[in-house]
Amino acid sequence: HYLTVAGTSLAFLVLAANIGAKAWQNLRWNPVKQTGILGSVISFVAAVVTGLALPYFGFGGTGSGGKSAMETMLVGSLIVAVFFGVSDLNYVQDYILVGSEQCDQDVVNMATGAWWTMTLITCLNIARRLEPFMLPSEEEELLLIKDHSSPVGMRVPNLPGFCIDPTQSKPGVRFCTDKTEFLGGIIMAVVVGGLMVLFSFLNYQGYATPSIVRSIQDLF
């Protein structure tokens, strides 16, 4: 039992650190300057915290910022919500682990729904404010300046100093503005997140959970 919990927790931390490290890069934050074992520990903790707080920045295509990043987050978060809803079905849980559908999952549903909503709103707000990455126009003259840190001794000053995949510079859906996508994402986060939390109180057949029924009976 304890080994199972330890293994699951370790896998959870590694996954959060992996997502957080990618999110750290997409957010264009400077790397941790501390070196040695302490630096590795600080980097791992920072990556785990970032992965839990800003998980949707770990998706590919979010480093460009703006509409393109918000669209990627909306699609990714919706897929996460769908998988969560499917995994909450009794016959799916019984197929994965016999007897697991009989466990009390109210706290898990409440925590996951609240986390999903808050992290999506936070990521959308940051992505909206993140300056979009735009490829320079071919008509613009690219002036070079000396840079001893560059392998060729020169760099282009109007390009960012961090690595971004040029394919991430897509403009996104043309018939939607940034504000429309942001507001739509907020509404989706509140509605879908509310439904995920609602699973804590009502089952799929629409009947109140036994604990709520007993609480209501105690009141009257």
Side-chain angles (χ1 to χ4, degrees), residues 5-29:
V5 174
T8 304
S9 301
L10 180 60
F12 173 79
L13 291 176
V14 171
L15 180 61
N18 186 22
I19 297 176
K22 183 62 177 179
W24 192 286
Q25 179 185 13
N26 288 336
L27 286 167
R28 311 169 193 176
W29 291 346

Side-chain angles (χ1 to χ4, degrees), residues 142-157:
L142 301 179
L143 300 178
L144 300 176
I145 61 174
K146 292 182 178 181
D147 186 359
H148 296 291
S149 62
S150 173
V152 296
M154 307 287 289
R155 71 179 180 88
V156 182

Side-chain angles (χ1 to χ4, degrees), residues 16-95:
N18 186 22
I19 297 176
K22 183 62 177 179
W24 192 286
Q25 179 185 13
N26 288 336
L27 286 167
R28 311 169 193 176
W29 291 346
N30 295 326
V32 177
K33 296 182 180 180
Q34 185 71 34
T35 58
I37 298 178
L38 181 60
S40 300
V41 174
I42 294 176
S43 299
F44 178 78
V45 173
V48 171
V49 173
T50 305
L52 294 176
L54 305 171
Y56 301 109
F57 270 103
F59 293 161
T62 57
S64 60
K67 288 176 58 179
S68 177
M70 288 193 293
E71 291 172 5
T72 301
M73 292 176 184
L74 291 175
V75 174
S77 62
L78 189 59
I79 294 176
V80 171
V82 170
F83 272 96
F84 176 79
V86 172
S87 66
D88 203 33
L89 294 174
N90 289 338
Y91 60 86
V92 174
Q93 295 182 358
D94 182 67
Y95 177 79

Side-chain angles (χ1 to χ4, degrees), residues 81 85 90 104 155 171 178 185 192 202 207 219:
N90 289 338
D104 186 5
R155 71 179 180 88
D178 295 1
V192 178
L202 303 176
Y207 298 102
L219 292 176

Side-chain angles (χ1 to χ4, degrees), residues 92-159:
V92 174
Q93 295 182 358
D94 182 67
Y95 177 79
I96 297 176
L97 181 62
V98 178
S100 60
E101 73 281 0
Q102 300 177 0
C103 299
D104 186 5
Q105 304 170 27
D106 292 349
V107 176
V108 175
N109 290 337
M110 290 181 62
T112 304
W115 169 82
W116 187 90
T117 302
M118 297 303 298
T119 53
L120 178 57
I121 293 176
T122 303
C123 289
L124 288 175
N125 191 38
I126 296 177
R128 185 188 179 195
R129 300 173 184 271
L130 192 64
E131 183 178 355
F133 170 68
M134 301 298 294
L135 289 176
S137 173
E138 296 181 357
E139 299 178 356
E140 296 180 0
E141 183 179 2
L142 301 179
L143 300 178
L144 300 176
I145 61 174
K146 292 182 178 181
D147 186 359
H148 296 291
S149 62
S150 173
V152 296
M154 307 287 289
R155 71 179 180 88
V156 182
N158 63 335
L159 291 179

